């Protein structure tokens, strides 16, 4: 029996980046051998065991053979005769197909992963790459993480990704896995690389058609020097990651704020009147299809519907500001307002030449929200009031508080 550290832990060590979970592969063992040494079996689709002390995952070396449609359509062979090289060959990218003998420090790199790390190239291991459609999404997600380090997708890998997209295999991806990869990409430093990689691979349409529809749609150059709405969305997503690192709630709301521009009739271009209202319908469709968590959907709908109102908050009447806060449910969910402000700031600064501009509207929104929230029904004299009259008195007092905060 031989044990090797594999995958991301080895890759991240070579990249001199903080490593996450460690994964181990065991060569020359059977499930009975593992259990005899105290390992606990947990794998459902293939033999995976938890270490009795560290609880880290140890998987038996295995091969996979395509047997059906989608990323689950594989027959697994974990016979003790499977070699380390066999196991590494089934992996997605060369940078993930490096193993380390922790006893000696020796690297096992049969597919050139170390070279590709040095050259900053994301390259598939072998032709079996096309058998698993999930790898297209993983490539895009890895680019969201590694593009800031200078990585690019190898031309031959991009060609295979386009082959997968053309095959229709992406339709077999279950919503939960798509959301998992999207959510992780939104928490990375460069979400735009996720979008751009899928777009270039002709895979964004099958997976996120609402976002693919933004590419090639022009905007008014005086407001959007980048012109293309798809490029604007890439810039907004990167700005959201800059303003709220690792926050996929902000990332998702920023990602979907302009979906309505994909529905603007071409004869109305480059103007996009009412795009914030138009965007709610495709946003709901996307959320239903991918089973997006309710918290993400609610924040995204608020940002989609209200971002233009936040941009012009200084022009809104005090009563209109209170209505905006109520529609976004921020009086009941006060933690939501800061994220809405960040998403709107990402939209305003996610434009060519505006990346470092100020966004005072965000501070104004937060300040007026605090003022409204400072007034509660218990603070009012409601002795002679009943039912709706109490709510009306509360609204009036909050509008007055907003007015005072503006003057202050």
């Amino acid at each position: 029996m031989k044990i090797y550290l594999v995958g991301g832990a080895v890759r991240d060590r070579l990249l001199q980046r903080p490593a996450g979970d460690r994964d181990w592969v065991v060569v020359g063992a059977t499930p009975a051998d593992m259990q005899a040494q105290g390992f606990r079996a947990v794998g459902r689709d293939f033999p995976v065991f938890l270490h009795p002390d560290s609880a880290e995952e140890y998987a038996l070396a295995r091969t996979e053979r395509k047997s059906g449609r989608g990323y689950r359509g594989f027959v697994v062979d974990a016979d003790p005769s499977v070699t380390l090289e066999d196991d590494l060959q089934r992996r997605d990218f060369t940078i993930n197909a490096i193993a380390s003998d922790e006893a000696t420090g020796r690297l096992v790199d049969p597919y050139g992963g170390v070279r590709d790390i040095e050259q900053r190239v994301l390259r598939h291991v072998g032709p079996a790459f096309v058998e698993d459609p999930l790898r297209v999404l993983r490539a895009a997600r890895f680019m969201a993480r590694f593009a800031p380090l200078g990585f690019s997708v190898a031309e031959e890998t991009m060609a295979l990704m386009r082959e997968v997209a053309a095959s229709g295999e992406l339709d077999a991806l279950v919503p939960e896995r798509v959301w998992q990869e999207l959510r992780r990409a939104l928490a990375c430093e460069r979400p735009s690389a996720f979008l751009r990689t899928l777009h270039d691979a002709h895979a964004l349409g099958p997976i996120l058609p609402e976002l693919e529809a933004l590419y090639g749609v022009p905007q008014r150059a005086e407001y959007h020097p980048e012109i293309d709405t798809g490029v604007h969305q890439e810039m907004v997503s990167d700005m959201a990651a800059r303003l709220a690192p690792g926050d996929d709630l902000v990332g998702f709301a920023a990602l979907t704020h302009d979906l309505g521009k994909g529905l603007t009739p071409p004869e109305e271009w480059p103007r996009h009147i009412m795009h914030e209202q138009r965007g709610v319908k495709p946003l709901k469709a996307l959320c239903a299809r991918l089973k997006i968590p309710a918290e993400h959907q609610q924040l995204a709908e608020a940002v989609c519907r209200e971002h233009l109102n936040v941009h012009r908050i200084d022009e809104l009447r005090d009563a209109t500001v209170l209505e905006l806060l109520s529609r976004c449910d921020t009086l009941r969910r006060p933690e939501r307002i800061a994220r809405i402000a960040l998403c709107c700031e990402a939209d305003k600064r996610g434009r060519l030449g505006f990346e470092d501009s100020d966004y005072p509207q965000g501070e104004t929104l937060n300040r007026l929200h605090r003022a409204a929230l400072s007034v509660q029904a218990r603070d009012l004299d409601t002795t002679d009031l009943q039912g709706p009259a109490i709510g009306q008195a509360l609204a009036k007092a909050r509008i007055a508080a907003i007015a005072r905060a503006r003057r202050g």
Side-chain angles (χ1 to χ4, degrees), residues 218-408:
Q219 303 166 107
R220 294 174 65 179
E222 64 266 37
Y223 299 120
H224 289 277
E226 70 283 356
I227 298 179
D228 190 300
T229 306
V231 174
H232 168 59
Q233 182 54 62
E234 292 179 6
M235 298 179 70
V236 172
S237 289
D238 283 354
M239 184 57 66
R242 174 178 162 185
L243 295 173
D247 190 332
D248 57 79
L249 269 168
V250 170
F252 181 72
L255 178 72
T256 55
H257 81 287
D258 257 356
L259 296 184
K261 290 181 178 178
L263 299 178
T264 302
E267 59 269 20
E268 296 181 13
W269 292 348
R271 303 181 70 192
H272 295 278
I273 298 173
M274 301 292 289
H275 75 271
E276 63 275 29
Q277 283 80 19
R278 284 175 175 158
V280 174
K281 183 176 180 179
L283 170 58
K284 288 184 175 180
L286 186 158
C287 290
R289 187 177 69 254
L290 296 187
K291 302 180 181 179
I292 303 297
E295 186 177 15
H296 289 71
Q297 178 173 345
Q298 291 164 7
L299 180 67
E301 287 186 20
V303 172
C304 177
R305 188 181 58 245
E306 307 293 350
H307 63 276
L308 292 189
N309 287 327
V310 175
H311 292 338
R312 59 187 186 93
I313 192 167
D314 291 331
E315 304 170 19
L316 301 182
R317 295 183 299 111
D318 299 329
T320 305
V321 171
L322 181 62
E323 291 169 3
L324 185 158
L325 297 175
S326 298
R327 284 196 302 272
C328 295
D329 200 21
T330 61
L331 300 173
R332 190 177 65 90
R333 300 282 303 276
E335 74 283 356
R336 183 174 290 175
I337 197 69
R339 285 191 166 105
I340 292 174
L342 287 172
C343 290
C344 294
E345 181 174 356
D347 176 40
K348 202 69 171 181
R349 295 172 61 183
R351 299 180 293 159
L352 194 62
F354 290 82
E355 295 87 348
D356 296 317
S357 60
D358 294 329
Y359 189 68
Q361 296 96 321
E363 194 281 328
T364 298
L365 178 67
N366 280 293
R367 186 175 77 253
L368 300 186
H369 175 256
R370 289 193 299 271
L373 204 60
S374 69
V375 180
Q376 299 294 326
R378 61 177 177 271
D379 302 323
L380 305 178
D381 182 2
T382 59
T383 305
D384 299 323
L385 301 178
Q386 292 183 350
I390 296 176
Q392 293 167 2
L394 178 61
K396 184 177 180 180
R398 283 175 165 170
I399 291 169
I402 290 171
R404 289 193 298 272
R406 275 185 157 162
R407 291 195 300 270

Side-chain angles (χ1 to χ4, degrees), residues 77-338:
D77 179 11
D79 188 84
S81 63
V82 175
T83 67
L84 176 61
E85 288 74 14
D86 292 335
D87 183 271
L88 295 176
Q89 188 178 35
R90 69 172 176 79
R91 296 175 184 267
D92 48 11
F93 305 105
T94 61
I95 64 173
N96 295 330
I98 310 168
S100 173
D101 185 332
E102 294 297 273
T104 65
R106 181 177 70 92
L107 292 179
V108 181
D109 179 29
Y111 305 107
V114 173
R115 175 202 62 214
D116 285 340
I117 285 176
E118 292 171 347
Q119 296 180 357
R120 299 299 195 254
V121 175
L122 188 67
R123 190 191 316 275
H124 65 286
V125 172
F129 177 88
V130 299
E131 296 179 352
D132 185 354
L134 184 63
R135 290 174 172 175
V136 174
L137 270 175
R138 283 172 57 82
R141 194 249 300 169
F142 278 130
M143 286 302 298
R145 181 180 179 189
F146 294 131
L149 301 181
F151 271 79
S152 61
V153 180
E155 290 183 9
E156 60 270 29
T157 302
M158 181 59 73
L160 289 184
M161 292 168 66
R162 289 171 180 154
E163 182 180 326
V164 174
S167 73
E169 279 276 305
L170 295 173
D171 296 336
L173 293 173
V174 298
E176 292 82 0
R177 290 309 299 268
V178 175
W179 169 237
Q180 180 182 20
E181 295 296 325
L182 173 58
R183 188 175 194 170
R184 294 173 72 180
L186 292 172
C188 290
E189 184 178 347
R190 193 78 61 80
S192 64
F194 178 85
L195 296 174
R196 176 58 60 173
T197 300
L198 291 179
H199 175 69
D200 290 346
H202 308 158
L204 189 59
I207 296 171
L208 294 167
E210 298 85 356
L211 285 153
E212 177 64 28
L214 301 180
Y215 285 88
V217 174
Q219 303 166 107
R220 294 174 65 179
E222 64 266 37
Y223 299 120
H224 289 277
E226 70 283 356
I227 298 179
D228 190 300
T229 306
V231 174
H232 168 59
Q233 182 54 62
E234 292 179 6
M235 298 179 70
V236 172
S237 289
D238 283 354
M239 184 57 66
R242 174 178 162 185
L243 295 173
D247 190 332
D248 57 79
L249 269 168
V250 170
F252 181 72
L255 178 72
T256 55
H257 81 287
D258 257 356
L259 296 184
K261 290 181 178 178
L263 299 178
T264 302
E267 59 269 20
E268 296 181 13
W269 292 348
R271 303 181 70 192
H272 295 278
I273 298 173
M274 301 292 289
H275 75 271
E276 63 275 29
Q277 283 80 19
R278 284 175 175 158
V280 174
K281 183 176 180 179
L283 170 58
K284 288 184 175 180
L286 186 158
C287 290
R289 187 177 69 254
L290 296 187
K291 302 180 181 179
I292 303 297
E295 186 177 15
H296 289 71
Q297 178 173 345
Q298 291 164 7
L299 180 67
E301 287 186 20
V303 172
C304 177
R305 188 181 58 245
E306 307 293 350
H307 63 276
L308 292 189
N309 287 327
V310 175
H311 292 338
R312 59 187 186 93
I313 192 167
D314 291 331
E315 304 170 19
L316 301 182
R317 295 183 299 111
D318 299 329
T320 305
V321 171
L322 181 62
E323 291 169 3
L324 185 158
L325 297 175
S326 298
R327 284 196 302 272
C328 295
D329 200 21
T330 61
L331 300 173
R332 190 177 65 90
R333 300 282 303 276
E335 74 283 356
R336 183 174 290 175
I337 197 69

